[in-house]
Amino acid sequence: MLSSLFKSVLLLAFVLSIAACSSLYPDKKLHTGQHQLLSQLSAQLQQAKLPADALAFVAYPLDNAAEKVSYQAEKSMQPASTMKLLTSIAALEQLGPAYRGKTQLLAYEQAQTKMQHPLVLKGVADMDFTLQQLWYLLQQAHDQGIRQVPAIQIDRSWFNPARPELTALPFDETPREYYNLLPDALFLQRNMLGIRLQSTADSISGQFYPSLHGLELVTTQVQLTDMPCAEWYPHPHQLAFKRQPDNVQLVLQGEFPKNCQKRDYLQLINRVDFSRLVVQQLWQQISGQKEVPVLEQNAAEATVLLAEHQSRTLAEVLRDINKSSDNAVTRQLYLTLGAQQGAVGTQLTAQSSELQIRSFISSLGLDHSSLIVENGSGLSRSERISPQLMTALLQHAYQARYQPELIASMPLAGVDGTLKRRFTQPQTQGKARLKTGTLRNVVALAGFVTDQSGRTWVVASFINDPKSGRGRDVLDSLIEWITRQQDKNSLQ
């Protein structure tokens, strides 16, 4: 009984909060429209069995902030992947749209047939460093006459710590998935390896792609069962990583369906072993030199540049970040903000990145007391931001010189990215550029919406609740309401 009364009070407070806001407007149509929005959102929350205080939002046309509609505007909320907009805006301002990460092949001496010192592969947050690009760098060393090296060093020290995976706790129960990839200054193939498994009624076989010398897939411990093929997933307890004297083994354990084929890209082995095996194999293929040691070392004194690969520009990378909601690339970019400023003693790169973002927000004269930032991607249990701060940042970005680059990176309603199958009705399709956000306890939308008069609105809306998925229609209704609005002055 008390619980029902409490929910009713919260819903009433929700109604009154926007009613108070709308009472500022003498225009009757506007006043009525906001009450209709409020009533609809309240009813939807109640139908979804969500408390009113789970919702927070701000929306207003950029040319007239006085028409703002909001609820709990200053409440610090979990933003999920809408936090990528903050990282994107800060990066455009501080790095510029033409910024590129890079991977360098360095030496301690000029190129010669038999090098006296190691070659160095140094990562500087290259977002696009693939096995093909690694082959190209090593081939350039060979083209300059290098045939033998005492070792090859891998330098990941541009980020501090260089090996975050050694201490980081898993975000959820699927740590091998791409979205859980931790940052790495040497982002080689994004540490992802393909695996293909195939079974008959009485046997199972498997392989990696690409295949790597020194990496073996062991399937002898698998028990074949009649479970449906679609139900099998390589959970951590089913894949055991083992180092042997002559190779590295990935041991498949537990049950696997009969007559089943599975193929996936996953973080299958330790990134150090992955890099070592790949570098050794490619250098042997190119130079013919066998058993070259590959070492993880800071190599600041290696200053002779032999070859370099550069990633796509930031403006291009932002499309992956926002349209596809790429967590791994966002976390790389977030650390780049701090690393680009140079090391300050033993300061962690993530701390430096946070300082850069807060300094940027302060330079705009905005209050960032609602902000908690951990990795800049929203894939976090701790990150927070208020709708008021998010909309203020978006308003600044819309008026800034790099607005086209940001806008082009955001999903277009009903057309592409994470909104391809959302807002597909004629009234909304193509009328909004919105970043989505989803966690188990969060749904969110933030970005820009065009109304019937052609005006651009800025909006940030969040629902935080263990059952937040029930509230997606609430946020969609807010966007649909904005698309129906008209500039009252244009009707006179």
Side-chain angles (χ1 to χ4, degrees):
M1 183 71 178
L2 289 176
S3 177
S4 299
L5 179 61
F6 181 66
K7 289 181 179 179
S8 298
V9 170
L10 285 176
L11 283 169
L12 179 59
F14 178 59
V15 172
L16 293 176
S17 66
I18 300 184
C21 177
S22 62
S23 66
L24 298 174
Y25 310 120
D27 184 82
K28 186 175 181 180
K29 285 186 177 179
L30 188 62
H31 182 85
T32 302
Q34 290 180 347
H35 273 291
Q36 290 174 344
L37 168 66
L38 176 59
S39 298
Q40 181 179 355
L41 298 184
S42 299
Q44 286 179 301
L45 283 169
Q46 198 167 28
Q47 185 176 10
K49 298 181 180 179
L50 291 171
D53 66 349
L55 172 68
F57 73 88
V58 170
Y60 56 88
L62 288 170
D63 64 353
N64 186 8
E67 292 186 37
K68 179 172 76 174
V69 289
S70 65
Y71 177 62
Q72 300 195 118
E74 299 180 5
K75 186 174 182 179
S76 188
M77 302 286 283
Q78 276 190 266
S81 284
T82 61
M83 185 65 94
K84 292 179 173 68
L85 293 173
L86 168 60
T87 303
S88 300
I89 294 167
L92 283 170
E93 293 278 354
Q94 297 185 0
L95 302 175
Y99 175 83
R100 296 174 185 265
K102 57 190 176 184
T103 307
Q104 298 176 322
L105 186 63
L106 302 165
Y108 295 88
E109 59 195 318
Q110 295 300 318
Q112 54 187 305
T113 302
K114 187 174 183 178
M115 301 290 283
Q116 302 302 309
H117 302 283
L119 298 183
V120 175
L121 192 64
K122 181 177 179 62
V124 189
D126 184 343
M127 310 294 187
D128 303 314
F129 192 51
T130 64
L131 299 183
Q132 291 81 0
Q133 297 299 340
L134 172 60
W135 178 90
Y136 183 64
L137 291 189
L138 295 174
Q139 181 64 48
Q140 287 187 73
H142 185 268
D143 291 345
Q144 294 174 52
I146 299 174
R147 297 296 182 269
Q148 289 188 334
V149 298
I152 297 176
Q153 295 174 332
I154 292 180
D155 186 348
R156 307 176 194 265
S157 63
W158 204 60
F159 290 161
N160 180 27
R163 299 279 310 282
E165 78 279 5
L166 296 179
T167 56
L169 297 174
F171 179 75
D172 58 19
E173 68 278 2
T174 58
R176 297 183 188 275
E177 290 288 349
Y178 172 70
Y179 70 86
N180 272 319
L181 179 61
L182 294 176
D184 191 341
L186 186 76
F187 209 39
L188 174 58
Q189 195 72 10
R190 305 189 180 184
N191 198 42
M192 303 294 285
L193 185 63
I195 185 172
R196 181 187 293 111
L197 299 170
Q198 182 171 344
S199 68
T200 63
D202 53 15
S203 67
I204 180 171
S205 61
Q207 66 183 100
F208 298 113
Y209 52 98
S211 60
L212 296 176
H213 299 316
L215 177 61
E216 179 186 5
L217 178 62
V218 178
T219 60
T220 55
Q221 298 182 24
V222 176
Q223 179 183 356
L224 294 173
T225 70
D226 293 322
M227 76 165 69
C229 187
E231 292 184 5
W232 188 86
Y233 178 82
H235 291 288
H237 66 274
Q238 292 180 298
L239 291 170
F241 176 71
K242 295 182 179 180
R243 287 192 184 91
Q244 303 293 350
D246 299 323
N247 65 6
V248 174
Q249 292 181 339
L250 192 69
V251 182
L252 187 65
Q253 301 173 324
E255 298 179 344
F256 190 83
K258 297 177 182 178
N259 302 308
C260 179
Q261 293 185 29
K262 285 288 184 176
R263 179 173 176 166
D264 209 344
Y265 274 98
L266 298 167
Q267 299 179 71
L268 293 173
I269 64 173
N270 182 294
R271 66 182 64 187
V272 171
D273 288 290
F274 178 70
S275 300
R276 174 177 58 82
L277 293 172
V278 169
V279 169
Q280 284 177 333
Q281 181 167 313
L282 291 182
W283 180 246
Q284 180 177 336
Q285 291 173 355
I286 291 169
S287 71
Q289 184 181 0
K290 297 181 179 180
E291 299 180 359
V292 176
V294 177
L295 312 171
E296 295 275 333
Q297 292 178 342
N298 187 326
E301 296 180 3
T303 58
V304 179
L305 181 63
L306 300 176
E308 180 178 270
H309 174 261
Q310 294 188 350
S311 69
R312 292 166 296 159
T313 65
L314 173 60
E316 295 172 280
V317 170
L318 287 182
R319 294 176 65 86
D320 290 348
I321 288 176
N322 292 320
K323 284 189 182 293
S324 303
S325 204
D326 193 313
N327 291 293
V329 173
T330 309
R331 297 178 75 164
Q332 291 282 111
L333 180 59
Y334 177 75
L335 290 186
T336 298
L337 290 171
Q340 190 71 8
Q341 302 305 311
V344 181
T346 59
Q347 185 177 51
L348 300 179
T349 305
Q351 294 175 346
S352 179
S353 298
E354 180 180 356
L355 289 175
Q356 290 300 314
I357 283 182
R358 290 190 182 277
S359 176
F360 163 65
I361 297 174
S362 294
S363 72
L364 303 180
L366 299 176
D367 175 16
H368 51 82
S369 60
S370 68
L371 180 67
I372 299 175
V373 60
E374 180 185 15
N375 57 47
S377 74
L379 189 69
S380 167
R381 307 296 184 197
S382 61
E383 288 194 326
R384 300 286 190 280
I385 194 171
S386 68
Q388 181 166 291
L389 177 56
M390 180 66 84
T391 51
L393 288 166
L394 287 168
Q395 180 177 358
H396 163 78
Y398 197 85
Q399 298 164 346
R401 55 182 173 169
Y402 300 136
Q403 178 242 66
E405 285 76 14
L406 178 69
I407 295 292
S409 78
M410 297 172 67
L412 183 59
V415 176
D416 66 8
T418 55
L419 290 181
K420 185 174 183 178
R421 294 177 176 83
R422 200 167 168 185
F423 301 113
T424 56
Q425 304 86 349
Q427 175 192 320
T428 54
Q429 188 175 40
K431 300 293 182 62
R433 294 274 187 175
L434 296 167
K435 182 71 199 76
T436 58
T438 306
L439 289 174
R440 288 177 180 172
N441 62 321
V442 183
V443 290
L445 285 173
F448 306 101
V449 185
T450 303
D451 71 8
Q452 283 194 350
S453 300
R455 297 183 303 171
T456 299
W457 289 59
V458 62
V459 60
S461 54
F462 311 114
I463 291 179
N464 289 184
D465 187 85
K467 303 295 184 182
S468 62
R470 299 173 177 174
R472 177 173 290 191
D473 289 346
V474 178
L475 303 188
D476 288 4
S477 293
L478 173 60
I479 303 304
E480 292 163 2
W481 179 86
I482 294 173
T483 63
R484 293 193 297 269
Q485 301 313 294
Q486 290 187 334
D487 182 359
K488 63 184 180 185
N489 295 320
S490 67
L491 301 177
Q492 294 176 354

